[in-house]
Amino acid sequence: MSTDLCETPTLARGELQLATFYVGDLLLGLQIDQVQEINRRLDVTSVPHSPKCVRGVINLRGEVVTVIDLRTVLGMPATELSQESRNLIVHLGDELVGLCVDRIADIITLNSDVIEPPPPNISDVEGKFFLGVYTEESEIVAILNIQEVLEINNQD
Amino acid sequence: MEFEDAELVGEFVIESNEHLADIENQLLAIEEGGENVDLELVNTVFRGVHSIKGAAGFLGLETIKELAHSLENVLNKIRSEELQPTSKSTDVMLRAGDKLRNLINDAANSNDVDVSEQVAALNEVLSAGSTPPAGQETETESEPTSEVAQEPASDSEVPKPEAPPASETNSATDSAGETTAKPQSSPKSTAEKTTPPNPAKPKAAANASVESSIRVSVGVLDQLMNLAGELVLSRNQLLQAVASNERAVLQAAASELDGVTSNLQEAIMQTRMQPIGNVFSKFPRIVRDLSSQLGKECKLEIEGKEVEVDKTIIEAIGDPLTHLIRNSVDHGVELPQTRTESGKSAEGSVWLRAFHKAGKVCIEIQDDGAGINPEKLKQKAIEKGVLTPERAEQMGDREAVRLIFHPGFSTAEKVSDVSGRGVGMDVVRTNIEKLGGNVDIESEIGVGTNIRVTLPLTLAIIPSMIIKSGDVRYAVPQANVAELVRLRAGEVATKIGHVKSAEVLRLRGSLLPLVRLDRALGTASQDDEREHGPMNIVVVETGQVRYGLIVDGIHDSEEIVVKPLGRHLKDCTSLAGATILGDGRIALILDAAGIANAVGVRLTHDPEEQDNADDSGLAEQSESQSLLLFSSDPTDQFAVPMGVVARIERVTIDQIDSIGGHELLQYRGTSLPLISVDETLDVKPRPDCSRLYVIVFTIGDREVGLIAPQLDDIREVSSDIDSETFRTAGVAGSLVVDDRLIRILDVFQLAEKSNPQWFAETREKVKDEDATPRILLAEDSAFFRRQVAGFLQAEGFEVEEFEDGAAAWNALKSGSVEVDMIVTDIEMPNMNGFELCRCVKQDAGLQHLPMLALTSLSSPEDVAHGKSLGFEDYQVKMHRDNLIRSVRTLLKNAGNPSTNNQFAAIG
């Protein structure tokens, strides 16, 4: 199983820093170098005929950035935005994409040795969206496979 | 071998190298695709080679042409899936590609090089079909070249379409048929295996290799430098102003910054603008060489060399235009014998015109050749499975002619090496659409073909109309907006009709399909209560369709910067991009053509339905005039011909000042002189109202406004106009619309009456001229004849009046009248204006006469058609000022023949 993890190109070996955040009850992590910034421009311009998972577009200092609703991608029920909702702006190739998440948590530092391969599903979310999991004292951090999450094909 | 034009060859070398830059990678990717041929990629390579062949052909580089032609043949087979690429055939193609590059880089000596070996190898591949050629000797003989072929493959990272690591092991088993061939080309395949998997798609690699530079005059650069300095100063001022916290200072700094920014923007745009003549200059030679090669006689006439467009467009337009011109000469213009037999002059003409139209650049390539037979095209399309017979049945001729742009579509009876295979038109369309432009074609059998390419001036900033649907704002590129129509609540029921459940708008005698924007975007709310409120319609126009877009509100127009949408939104075909508005919010840019496709707006109407619309009481098309109706007092109704109206402004009464007995409108920082009907005519004074309309028209360089307290309608009326009863200065005539008497105003006389000094200057100029010019006027409507004659006589011309083209022509032919120029209506009984023009222009004794066409409202197509027949100019009937000016210019040019014949001299 661990060979699978080795072959995924996006998870580096050695020491990792993860930005963690909640979507629903799920604590998720992203490698920090994939995240450009976190903001709260939640007032999006919706785009007609866009895939369901697209919340809309925002103006990020002159760039038009697509905001993806992570809940829809992961198959969770939609909820209202709250005071704590945030956009994570991530790099996808040469494009910036926003991920709408429910709440921002800590930045954690860990060694790749402690990362385990993802189970087939985590809280009813398919395992393909994750690169691995890391168990903290009380909680499980699931590391997102950003390529898979933003794959155009699974938008509907 | 010597070349007259080293620059052309230089360009050819650069261009061809661009085409060849990625050929190894592309060929390898094609090979890897095996059975699943990536047609897009094959097409890309094919087009590149095709372009090289074409250019080499006209430069007389026979060897390059020969090799490219053979290579193209093989690619064509692969494209049509008759030949499956194998490693052997790819080797042969790679070697041919290398040879081609060597030849091109030493183009001057290329004709002395022997390429029979490569050509033979390619032909072998071609004839062998899918079986690889035996080619033992070629392999050994051309050892050095084969090394060259493989080297680049191992240097560069071979981009694979989708190369997950697992596929390597699979491919050996999947394509078992091919594995036997693989070991032979071992150097290459090992090279592939050692390269790390590269997720980049081949397209990205292809784009990256195109790089360009621009030459900027030192003057412009100095100006930019200067402005940059100003910008720094403005920033400092602004910072200080913010620190001082004084509003007045802050405002001053902001307006300074505003000015500098616009200047800077303009200057930067200017660095990118170049005259289109840079591209056009190479075409006369192409036409000359090509026509002599084909045994044809053909001249090229170029107009509009000075039109400036963005550098990116200049660079990208060269290839498509070359294709179009070559097509016109090759397929359009007939052989001299055929031409004389069908009663045309032996020498064919190709016109290349560039002009600005509605914020876009139009380039027209027109020939007077055989035209395209739509039936033949349909037949071909059915044969090739592009079209079902039923669809072909329904298709109009105009639409059928457009089939020529379909990929891989060809009508050429035999493949020629000049421009065959119909590939050119396909390339043209793709390249032009890539630039955000479009291309359209019109053709008449026996008369000729006209191809019109429309391109944006620049790719960066576009003027747009901001509209609203629901609470969301969208931008519609101004270039797509033809007009805005607002229906009052009461009018909706009468103006909107239904044709087979689709809504249509009755607009000036024709039916316009309607699209509700909120429904098209899927944002419509459930209740349709708004149907009974007033309705805003944006009439949009793309190359192919024209329809009305029903929106919830219309805001201002704004210059917007186009930003691309992210990859998740690539499938939203109704959108062309996004932009950021002044308040920082995003507005999406609507794609008029995309919306039309999405909701299925039909391209053409049933002629039957169209007839019904005409029957419903609207004027017959031939002799109608559109009038803007307005009223001052309910009892006093007036009309102004739409042709003279520049635009209409809505103003409040406090914007109008009265100075020295004249009214002035304070307006965009300047003042606009106003005239009013109650001031000059015997009518009741206008009622007090806080808001009124101002109809703006131009006299010379001056804008003048006519106060219209209440706008009523725009109507098409037949020219059933009584020019006697109310005849006074300022009134041209009267007519009855809906049982009301309406006076038609002559705004120029009105203006002259109140402000004679505006006309004093031009009058004096006429008196300087010695002989009184005589003008022939052909016009069947007595009303217009009297009007136009009046205009001309008032300017001191002598006018000979005729009531139709035939009468005018008889008088001209018999020599009973001698005139200096001809002014004619288009729609006339017996002989219409087009026929008259044709007769005059074919008569050796008369063809020097300048001809001016008069029309009620001219569509661009009419203007183009008229100009192609030989009309020097086109003017709107009731626009006295423009008419007079045009007459003057034409008379002046006629007296100075050198300007008249300059195009002929070039051709």
Side-chain angles (χ1 to χ4, degrees), chain B residues 22 25 28 152-160 191-192 195-200 205:
Chain B
D22 275 313
N25 290 342
L28 289 172
S154 47
D155 286 349
S156 58
E157 296 179 333
V158 180
K160 303 179 194 175
E192 271 173 30
T195 45
N198 184 356

Side-chain angles (χ1 to χ4, degrees), chain A residues 7 43-51 53-54 57-59 62-66 68 92-95 97 150-152 155, chain B residues 165 472-474 519-523 563-569 571-572 574-575 578-581 584-588 598:
Chain A
E7 281 200 9
D43 190 12
V44 300
T45 304
S46 58
V47 179
H49 298 313
S50 60
C53 67
V54 175
V57 287
I58 56 166
N59 168 13
E63 292 292 312
V64 174
V65 174
T66 314
I68 305 288
L92 178 66
D94 48 4
E95 191 186 326
V97 177
L150 297 178
E151 179 59 42
I152 314 279
Q155 290 182 338
Chain B
V472 188
R473 284 173 297 173
Y474 296 91
R519 286 193 201 153
L521 297 178
T523 56
K563 310 265 179 180
L565 288 171
R567 66 179 72 175
H568 291 90
L569 304 172
D571 292 337
C572 301
S574 308
L575 303 174
T579 189
I580 294 162
L581 296 176
R585 297 285 316 232
I586 289 179
L588 298 164

Side-chain angles (χ1 to χ4, degrees), chain B residues 86-294:
Chain B
T86 62
S87 65
K88 278 275 178 157
S89 64
T90 308
D91 273 358
V92 172
M93 286 194 285
L94 280 174
R95 244 172 269 151
D98 286 320
K99 189 78 187 170
L100 201 53
R101 182 171 311 159
N102 293 342
L103 288 175
I104 287 164
N105 287 334
D106 190 14
N109 301 315
S110 67
N111 280 357
D112 305 324
V113 179
D114 182 13
V115 291
S116 55
E117 182 186 303
Q118 276 82 4
V119 171
L122 285 167
N123 288 342
E124 213 169 332
V125 172
L126 197 64
S127 56
S130 50
T131 50
Q136 189 78 41
E137 60 229 67
T138 30
E139 195 109 18
T140 47
E141 271 177 25
S142 57
E143 195 105 51
T145 32
S146 79
E147 260 173 29
V148 184
Q150 283 145 8
E151 222 164 312
S154 47
D155 286 349
S156 58
E157 296 179 333
V158 180
K160 303 179 194 175
E162 294 291 331
S167 75
E168 246 166 65
T169 45
N170 290 345
S171 65
T173 47
D174 280 352
S175 51
E178 255 182 49
T179 40
T180 46
K182 277 227 163 149
Q184 285 174 302
S185 58
S186 54
K188 180 172 47 60
S189 32
T190 46
E192 271 173 30
K193 279 187 182 139
T194 50
T195 45
N198 184 356
K201 300 203 168 148
K203 267 187 187 166
N207 288 343
S209 63
V210 183
E211 205 183 315
S212 58
S213 56
I214 192 163
R215 244 178 250 172
V216 179
S217 78
V218 179
V220 175
L221 211 54
D222 283 348
Q223 195 194 348
L224 277 176
M225 205 48 224
N226 199 6
L227 283 167
E230 287 295 309
L231 194 65
V232 173
L233 283 181
S234 304
R235 181 201 58 191
N236 294 348
Q237 278 175 9
L238 192 65
L239 289 177
Q240 279 175 11
V242 170
S244 77
N245 207 7
E246 268 179 61
R247 199 170 162 74
V249 184
L250 197 60
Q251 253 166 3
S255 82
E256 177 75 22
L257 192 62
D258 179 41
V260 174
T261 313
S262 355
N263 285 345
L264 195 61
Q265 183 189 344
E266 212 168 283
I268 289 174
M269 296 306 277
Q270 212 180 356
T271 59
R272 304 180 54 94
M273 297 301 256
Q274 300 197 315
I276 205 160
N278 292 0
V279 188
F280 284 6
S281 55
K282 68 174 176 180
F283 293 130
R285 174 153 180 199
I286 294 183
V287 171
R288 198 187 68 198
D289 290 0
L290 194 58
S291 46
S292 70
Q293 188 187 337
L294 294 166

Side-chain angles (χ1 to χ4, degrees), chain B residues 323-624:
Chain B
H323 272 294
L324 289 174
I325 297 226
R326 295 172 71 85
N327 259 327
S328 289
V329 177
D330 190 13
H331 301 310
V333 175
E334 314 93 320
L335 289 167
Q337 200 190 346
T338 327
R339 288 184 65 89
T340 24
E341 275 166 16
S342 55
K344 298 183 190 176
S345 61
E347 189 183 40
S349 296
V350 175
W351 290 271
L352 179 60
R353 299 189 194 97
F355 53 93
H356 288 290
K357 189 201 158 201
K360 292 203 162 195
V361 186
C362 286
I363 302 171
E364 283 185 345
I365 299 97
Q366 191 186 356
D367 64 63
D368 62 350
I372 298 169
N373 186 341
E375 292 308 318
K376 214 162 151 188
L377 274 181
K378 284 188 199 171
Q379 202 58 43
K380 282 267 169 169
I382 296 168
E383 276 169 32
K384 294 191 180 248
V386 176
L387 207 63
T388 61
E390 298 82 55
R391 181 80 189 83
E393 188 72 24
Q394 294 166 357
M395 197 178 251
D397 283 357
R398 203 183 147 94
E399 215 175 319
V401 172
R402 291 195 187 112
L403 284 172
I404 203 164
F405 295 116
H406 205 279
F409 195 90
S410 170
T411 54
E413 307 263 317
K414 57 177 182 188
V415 172
S416 69
D417 70 340
V418 176
S419 53
R421 300 201 170 102
V423 66
M425 293 308 241
D426 167 23
V427 182
V428 166
R429 200 182 70 165
T430 345
N431 286 354
I432 288 169
E433 284 178 356
K434 232 185 271 170
L435 294 172
N438 56 51
V439 56
D440 200 3
I441 185 165
E442 262 179 81
S443 185
E444 204 175 322
I445 299 174
V447 178
T449 305
N450 187 3
I451 297 171
R452 176 183 286 206
V453 178
T454 316
L455 292 167
L457 269 185
T458 165
L459 304 173
I461 296 178
I462 55 171
S464 290
M465 194 74 161
I466 309 295
I467 55 114
K468 207 170 76 169
S469 171
D471 291 324
V472 188
R473 284 173 297 173
Y474 296 91
V476 187
Q478 199 79 270
N480 287 335
V481 177
E483 62 180 304
L484 304 175
V485 177
R486 185 178 161 87
L487 297 183
R488 279 186 287 255
E491 291 173 316
V492 173
T494 55
K495 294 266 175 119
I496 304 280
H498 290 266
V499 176
K500 293 177 194 152
S501 85
E503 284 176 302
V504 291
L505 171 71
R506 289 176 212 282
L507 183 67
R508 293 192 294 280
S510 59
L511 294 178
L512 187 72
L514 287 178
V515 174
R516 283 181 186 267
L517 182 58
D518 50 1
R519 286 193 201 153
L521 297 178
T523 56
S525 51
Q526 293 304 313
D527 56 322
D528 266 339
E529 287 306 304
R530 275 168 301 150
E531 278 201 30
H532 304 292
M535 197 181 252
N536 289 306
I537 299 169
V538 181
V539 180
V540 292
E541 210 172 18
T542 72
Q544 278 91 43
V545 285
R546 182 183 158 93
Y547 61 93
L549 201 57
I550 303 178
V551 300
D552 293 337
I554 293 171
H555 289 267
D556 215 346
S557 58
E558 246 181 69
E559 299 237 303
I560 59 167
V561 179
V562 182
K563 310 265 179 180
L565 288 171
R567 66 179 72 175
H568 291 90
L569 304 172
K570 285 286 178 258
D571 292 337
C572 301
T573 52
S574 308
L575 303 174
T579 189
I580 294 162
L581 296 176
D583 62 359
R585 297 285 316 232
I586 289 179
L588 298 164
I589 304 168
L590 298 177
D591 181 334
I595 292 175
N597 283 340
V599 300
V601 174
R602 283 177 311 152
L603 300 185
T604 44
H605 305 292
D606 280 340
E608 208 177 303
E609 285 157 11
Q610 195 71 45
D611 287 347
N612 290 344
D614 288 345
D615 289 343
S616 63
L618 291 163
E620 71 186 271
Q621 212 62 34
S622 61
E623 263 308 330
S624 64

